[in-house]
Amino acid sequence: MARLSQRAMNNVVIIAMLIMIALFNLDSLRPKSNIVQTRSLLPEDAYVLKIEHDGNSLERVGQQWRQKGQIDNLTTAPDMQFSHWQRGVLTPATSIPEALSDVQPYIIVVWLAGDANGLVYAIYPNTSPTVIKFENNWYTLANTELDKLLPWIE
């Protein structure tokens, strides 16, 4: 029977550990696919505190919702406005109109409980369907309309 020297045994242990590390991290070494999936406008089970846009906001007050801003008489009730945010779906955009570079988007920030940074949506008006840029991905809005999400825009 062959005996391994101390140095050879150390090399065997080092190589075995490197193989174990590679096996444990095998899934992170494979390239990830960047396929954008359909998602809801708001994260599932998220506790939304406030939705802000250009000096206007929809904010939670206890279990109710309140609209604040420059326009007092909005056609959409606060609870209905929030239900449209919950119902909205983002579907991956198949093509982006080139004219969007000339359009100034509406920047909306959604504040969630327990999250120091808000979710930032860039919504491009006057597109059909409505185009939204969120987390550096392009989407189209489904299941609701822009004027229901932001009733204060004219």
Side-chain angles (χ1 to χ4, degrees):
M1 182 164 122
R3 291 197 67 134
L4 292 177
S5 68
Q6 178 82 24
R7 185 173 183 188
M9 186 52 111
N10 286 345
N11 288 340
V12 168
V13 170
I14 290 171
I15 291 171
M17 292 304 258
L18 289 173
I19 291 172
M20 285 177 45
I21 290 170
L23 288 175
F24 289 140
N25 294 309
L26 193 60
D27 60 334
S28 65
L29 296 175
R30 279 186 269 148
K32 301 247 189 282
S33 61
N34 275 345
I35 299 173
V36 180
Q37 305 260 331
T38 299
R39 60 187 298 171
S40 61
L41 187 57
L42 295 176
E44 297 293 324
D45 300 326
Y47 192 80
V48 177
L49 298 175
K50 185 189 281 192
I51 299 171
E52 294 179 313
H53 165 250
D54 197 27
N56 298 297
S57 66
L58 175 67
E59 50 190 46
R60 185 181 294 272
V61 180
Q63 294 299 315
Q64 302 295 319
W65 289 95
R66 172 178 59 191
Q67 295 163 328
K68 288 179 64 178
Q70 298 132 355
I71 302 173
D72 291 331
N73 299 330
L74 296 175
T75 57
T76 305
D79 292 336
M80 285 303 298
Q81 182 183 359
F82 184 69
S83 72
H84 282 281
W85 276 91
Q86 288 178 312
R87 167 179 340 153
V89 175
L90 297 175
T91 57
T94 54
S95 64
I96 307 302
E98 290 184 21
L100 286 184
S101 60
D102 301 335
V103 177
Q104 184 69 26
Y106 297 141
I107 303 299
I108 292 90
V109 181
V110 177
W111 297 98
L112 304 176
D115 195 356
N117 299 320
L119 303 176
V120 179
Y121 297 86
I123 299 179
Y124 290 83
N126 303 325
T127 57
S128 182
T130 303
V131 176
I132 297 177
K133 187 173 185 182
F134 177 64
E135 294 180 344
N136 289 325
N137 293 313
W138 292 95
Y139 298 95
T140 55
L141 180 65
N143 255 12
T144 189
E145 290 107 31
L146 181 59
D147 62 335
K148 302 294 184 199
L149 296 178
L150 306 171
W152 45 75
I153 59 173
E154 295 180 16

